[in-house]
Amino acid sequence: MAVLAKIRNRSGLLLLAIGFALLAFVIQDLFNSGMKSISTDVGSVNGKDISFEEFRIKVANTEKNAQGQNMTSMQASNQVWNQEVNIALLTAEFEKLGIRVGEKHIIEVFKADPNIGQNPQFLNAAGKFDLNKFKDYFKASPEGIQMLKDREKDAELNAKYMIYNSMVKGAMYTTTTEGKFKYEAETNKVNFDFVMVPFSSIKDSDVKVTDEEIVTYMKTKEKKFKSEESRELDYVLIEEKPSAQDEAEIKKNVDALLLPSVRYNKETGKNDTISGFRAANDVADFVNANSDIPFDSSYVAKQDLPAGHADQLFNLPVGEVYGPYMFNNYYCLSKALGRQSGAKAKSSHILISWVGAERAQPKEKRTKEEAKIKAEGILAQALANPGMFQMLAMTTSEDPSVQQNGGDMGYISKDTGFAKGYKDFVFANPIGKIGLVETEFGYHIINVTDKQDAVKLATIAQKIEPSEATNDKTYTQATKFEMDAVNKDFAALVKEMKLTTNPAVRVKAIDENVGSMSNQRQIVKWAFEDGTKIGSVKRFEIVNVGHVITKLKSIAAKGLMSAEEARPQVEPILKNKKKAEKIIAKMKGASLDAIAASNKVAVMNAVDITIENPSLQGAGFEPKVVGLAFSAKAGQVSKPIEGNSGVYVINTKAVTKAPAIQKYDDYINKVKQQVTNYSGRVMPALKNDAEIEDNRADFY
């Protein structure tokens, strides 16, 4: 007690000391990071900050809700980030337009949610949504009230979005003029002769495109070529994998299990002779003592046995052993323990439920007696015409999955978690039997469609893994590569050490994948650290995979893409422009025949071509060429036209105008169909014009 009293008396001094220590730590960290400002915001949208603390909670909840789906933290972060950006952009639009909603709108959103609008707890005697029941349910506890408030915020946003989306769709109308243009684009026709000199007639090696030319071109379309800050990485993976010697050693160990072995018994002080796998008395114990995969007593159908060995294993006599054989990086021995006929059964069913049945639809009004009468009627139809069973299932079954599987329930075993009455019928009756069964889900009209025998196997499986000595060699190789890569050419070193070559990859600050390797956030973070410079090299250990050695090749700042990054997109365009100049210089002549002869090509014909379908036989899709053909003076040789596939010279022969019609309703409807989904372009357009600052890389 005296010690505690002293601590209490000196607690002020202790807290002061801790405070100074923490302050010193923070100051040191600030100096180490170059006095870099520490933000509490994960980003911003048009100047509106997104708090990291709130963002973090949403990410954690998203991960929690996605348990079992193998969602990474970064994937959850991406999902929440996209939601937050969309909400910020849309909220600003709602405010600009003065969109407001009341309780009525919010309730309609709730009712549209099947978990609320169709929940029996919130329905009245007439089966209609009861607002009072809904509110009373949540008012039962303080947590419920808070939950309702949180749901109301989301519902309010959804209600506003529904109004906004309706306004956007309402603005997308189609005029008579557009219908008329559509009609003429489909019906007006042009005939013309043309000469085309393809771009491919000039070798790519004969035209060069410089970085400066690429940058100049990008500056004319800056939005298209804007880029986030990125890093280009060279990398190589040196896998931890078993050697041929490791594999041979494991096979030897598995082979030895077939023979008796001698083991020292500490209790008796004598050597005991242990039977081999064939003669083992307790097979389950033997498997569990020697296998990396525990003993499984279930019966297995032939289709579920290891591919490539299924015939031998399925037909193995009881007591006999097959193997060793390799399957999924394991060396295996299998011993046949038994065979069971009809162990797997396949069936189709039609479900007719009643009010109160398990998983019955909330709108279900049918009584149990009425359900039975209906089921018996369907049974009679199925018995009269078994070949129509699938069609009956598609048209009458109340199983929600029927549209995907046509009533087919697949193969089940006796220990599958199906309703007991259903299983009893399927396993007690032969293939082709159709009957009626009652379960807690309703009445089932069941058709037994197939049965399979199954075998019980005791399998010893030992994984083929690299030994410690092999892993040591791999580690030595990886560390040597890491050291050599600092001063040597990376690609040359990969080739010298006979490793697999990978193309360089470009990563952004919030990426988590590196090339074909997923979930490598550690590598991306290293690439963006202040201390990582061009030429920096680092080795990363990946559990159960091996070692990745990366080298920072280049850094691209935020803004316009680098010429190297944009070259795959821009170079073909600029090369074709340069080729066009060379081709145009040679397209001389007073007639198409003369121009064709001088360029060693033929004069071709285009017949009944429309604006709607501007494809030229032997040339391809050429809307610019066709458009000029419609507007050109008949009988006159045009100037060279730069198209998609080459350079053209045309001579229009005739333009046939569409006959006048009274109404363009059919064509207006065609245009309407085209613009139906245009509302989906709103979000990309808003994002394109927004100032979005993404600082997640500072936190994740």
Side-chain angles (χ1 to χ4, degrees):
M1 293 296 291
V3 174
L4 288 174
K6 288 181 180 180
I7 291 175
R8 284 194 201 97
N9 292 336
R10 297 178 182 177
S11 60
L13 291 173
L14 181 62
L15 288 171
L16 191 61
I18 292 172
F20 275 120
L22 286 172
L23 181 61
F25 177 79
V26 170
I27 291 172
Q28 182 182 9
D29 187 58
L30 283 172
F31 276 111
N32 289 341
S33 61
M35 296 299 288
K36 186 178 180 179
S37 62
I38 301 173
S39 174
T40 58
D41 299 318
V42 76
S44 64
V45 179
N46 288 331
K48 183 179 178 181
D49 294 330
I50 299 173
S51 163
F52 171 68
E53 188 56 31
E54 292 178 10
F55 185 84
R56 181 189 63 79
I57 292 170
K58 290 177 181 178
V59 170
N61 289 335
T62 299
E63 287 184 273
K64 184 179 178 181
N65 294 333
Q67 282 182 352
Q69 298 178 25
N70 296 322
M71 178 180 279
T72 65
S73 294
M74 207 63 212
Q75 287 171 333
S77 166
N78 289 338
Q79 183 174 315
V80 175
W81 174 256
N82 289 331
Q83 290 172 355
E84 292 299 299
V85 170
N86 289 348
I87 289 170
L89 292 172
L90 287 170
T91 300
E93 292 298 301
F94 301 158
E95 290 174 359
K96 285 181 192 175
L97 297 169
I99 296 175
R100 300 287 183 269
V101 295
E103 184 183 46
K104 181 181 177 181
H105 296 94
I106 294 170
I107 294 302
E108 288 302 316
V109 173
F110 281 145
K111 287 166 65 176
D113 183 346
N115 295 318
I116 296 175
Q118 297 177 21
N119 193 316
Q121 295 183 81
F122 307 139
L123 303 181
N124 59 23
K128 302 293 184 182
F129 180 78
D130 190 318
L131 181 58
N132 292 326
K133 279 190 173 186
F134 175 70
K135 288 183 175 180
D136 290 344
Y137 176 83
F138 284 96
K139 287 178 181 177
S141 67
E143 293 83 2
I145 294 172
Q146 185 58 47
M147 183 186 297
L148 181 58
K149 286 181 179 179
D150 292 339
R151 293 297 298 269
E152 282 179 346
K153 290 178 183 177
D154 293 337
E156 181 182 353
L157 191 65
N158 286 334
K160 288 181 178 179
Y161 177 72
M162 288 168 67
I163 295 172
Y164 176 76
N165 200 39
S166 296
M167 292 171 67
V168 172
K169 287 183 176 180
M172 292 177 182
Y173 57 88
T174 304
T175 65
T176 301
T177 301
E178 289 173 295
K180 182 182 178 183
F181 180 82
K182 177 74 171 174
Y183 167 67
E184 292 176 347
E186 288 187 12
T187 315
N188 287 350
K189 295 177 181 178
V190 64
N191 296 341
F192 61 93
D193 296 333
F194 66 94
V195 171
M196 189 270 278
V197 179
F199 292 133
S200 58
S201 63
I202 297 177
K203 294 179 182 178
D204 280 351
S205 57
D206 290 343
V207 287
K208 303 295 182 185
V209 176
T210 65
D211 287 352
E212 290 75 16
E213 288 171 325
I214 290 175
V215 171
T216 300
Y217 178 84
M218 285 194 293
K219 285 181 178 178
T220 65
K221 306 173 187 288
E222 287 196 13
K223 278 192 175 181
K224 183 178 179 181
F225 293 99
K226 65 181 180 181
S227 176
E228 297 175 37
E229 185 179 2
S230 63
R231 302 287 187 270
E232 188 180 18
L233 299 173
D234 281 321
Y235 77 99
V236 68
L237 170 62
I238 300 179
E239 294 181 87
E240 287 183 343
K241 55 185 180 181
S243 65
Q245 186 177 349
D246 295 333
E247 191 175 316
E249 186 65 27
I250 292 166
K251 185 177 183 299
K252 179 182 175 183
N253 294 340
V254 173
D255 277 331
L257 296 174
L258 292 168
L259 303 173
S261 59
V262 177
R263 296 181 188 175
Y264 178 73
N265 189 324
K266 291 182 179 179
E267 294 180 0
T268 63
K270 297 179 180 179
N271 289 332
D272 291 339
T273 300
I274 309 297
S275 299
F277 188 38
R278 283 193 179 89
N281 292 323
D282 192 327
V283 175
D285 279 353
F286 193 95
V287 169
N288 290 333
N290 295 284
S291 177
D292 293 329
I293 299 175
F295 175 74
D296 184 356
S297 62
S298 60
Y299 282 83
V300 182
K302 184 177 180 179
Q303 65 181 27
D304 299 322
L305 292 171
H309 306 279
D311 286 336
Q312 296 92 325
L313 292 169
F314 191 73
N315 297 312
L316 192 65
V318 174
E320 290 297 312
V321 174
Y322 173 74
Y325 63 94
M326 191 185 293
F327 180 68
N328 283 351
N329 294 320
Y330 286 86
Y331 264 119
C332 306
L333 286 173
S334 292
K335 183 176 182 179
L337 300 182
R339 190 181 192 89
Q340 192 177 77
S341 61
K344 299 273 185 177
K346 188 179 183 183
S347 63
S348 292
H349 86 136
I350 299 168
L351 175 65
I352 304 299
S353 60
W354 59 79
V355 62
E358 188 77 23
R359 297 183 192 171
Q361 294 295 318
K363 295 180 180 179
E364 184 60 69
K365 299 292 187 298
R366 188 187 301 118
T367 66
K368 185 174 180 181
E369 291 74 20
E370 290 170 337
K372 186 174 183 181
I373 292 170
K374 182 174 181 179
E376 287 173 342
I378 297 171
L379 173 63
Q381 294 179 62
L383 289 170
N385 194 348
M388 291 294 292
F389 195 93
Q390 183 177 3
M391 183 60 68
L392 282 171
M394 296 286 285
T395 55
T396 63
S397 181
E398 292 163 8
D399 182 343
S401 64
V402 71
Q403 296 303 322
Q404 285 77 39
N405 57 29
D408 184 2
M409 302 302 287
Y411 286 97
I412 62 171
S413 61
K414 290 181 179 179
D415 56 359
T416 302
F418 263 54
K420 184 178 184 301
Y422 191 104
K423 280 196 299 185
D424 289 347
F425 180 88
V426 170
F427 285 101
N429 289 286
I431 297 171
K433 178 68 175 178
I434 297 175
L436 183 65
V437 169
E438 176 189 338
T439 73
E440 61 269 32
F441 299 98
Y443 286 108
H444 305 260
I445 299 94
I446 303 173
N447 182 13
V448 182
T449 54
D450 192 23
K451 290 197 173 183
Q452 291 185 345
D453 293 351
V455 293
K456 184 193 285 189
L457 300 171
T459 298
I460 295 170
Q462 292 192 4
K463 192 167 186 181
I464 304 169
E465 295 182 304
S467 63
E468 188 176 340
T470 299
N471 282 341
D472 286 345
K473 287 181 181 178
T474 303
Y475 174 79
T476 301
Q477 183 185 25
T479 52
K480 183 179 187 306
F481 188 103
E482 180 186 14
M483 291 185 291
D484 291 349
V486 174
N487 298 312
K488 289 187 177 181
D489 179 78
F490 198 91
L493 189 58
V494 169
K495 190 174 181 180
E496 179 187 322
M497 296 184 73
K498 298 179 180 178
L499 298 170
T500 302
T501 301
N502 299 300
V505 294
R506 188 167 292 279
V507 295
K508 296 174 183 175
I510 58 169
D511 287 346
E512 63 175 346
N513 298 337
V514 176
S516 59
M517 298 182 298
S518 60
N519 199 17
Q520 296 304 317
R521 185 74 190 133
Q522 56 175 344
I523 297 176
V524 177
K525 289 191 74 172
W526 167 79
F528 281 85
E529 287 176 358
D530 290 339
T532 305
K533 309 297 181 186
I534 293 175
S536 294
V537 177
K538 188 167 183 178
R539 176 180 57 83
F540 297 87
E541 285 191 40
I542 303 177
V543 178
N544 298 325
V545 176
H547 304 261
V548 176
I549 300 94
T550 62
K551 185 172 186 176
L552 183 57
K553 186 175 183 179
S554 68
I555 296 174
K558 183 178 180 180
L560 206 61
M561 281 185 188
S562 66
E564 184 181 2
E565 189 179 357
R567 184 172 284 275
Q569 288 178 257
V570 178
E571 187 176 47
I573 297 170
L574 296 184
K575 278 195 170 185
N576 281 349
K577 285 189 176 297
K578 291 191 173 190
K579 288 180 179 181
E581 291 172 4
K582 290 178 177 288
I583 292 170
I584 290 170
K586 297 188 296 180
M587 294 188 88
K588 306 295 183 184
S591 66
L592 293 186
D593 288 330
I595 295 170
S598 64
N599 287 275
K600 298 180 180 179
V601 294
V603 177
M604 293 186 280
N605 311 110
V607 180
D608 290 344
I609 306 299
T610 66
I611 292 289
E612 186 74 15
N613 183 21
S615 293
L616 305 180
Q617 188 174 356
F621 187 74
E622 293 291 357
K624 181 179 178 182
V625 176
V626 173
L628 288 170
F630 270 101
S631 61
K633 186 176 180 181
Q636 186 172 308
V637 176
S638 73
K639 292 181 179 180
I641 305 164
E642 187 179 335
N644 292 330
S645 304
V647 179
Y648 294 76
V649 174
I650 66 173
N651 187 341
T652 298
K653 299 168 96 175
V655 174
T656 305
K657 295 287 186 179
I661 59 176
Q662 293 296 319
K663 293 184 178 180
Y664 299 97
D665 293 355
D666 291 342
Y667 297 92
I668 290 171
N669 289 332
K670 285 183 181 181
V671 178
K672 281 182 179 178
Q673 290 174 9
Q674 291 175 347
V675 302
T676 299
N677 298 319
Y678 281 7
S679 59
R681 300 181 181 182
V682 170
M683 285 311 305
L686 291 175
K687 287 180 180 179
N688 192 51
D689 287 339
E691 289 293 331
I692 300 173
E693 191 73 31
D694 187 348
N695 300 325
R696 285 180 293 154
D698 296 337
F699 300 90
Y700 290 93

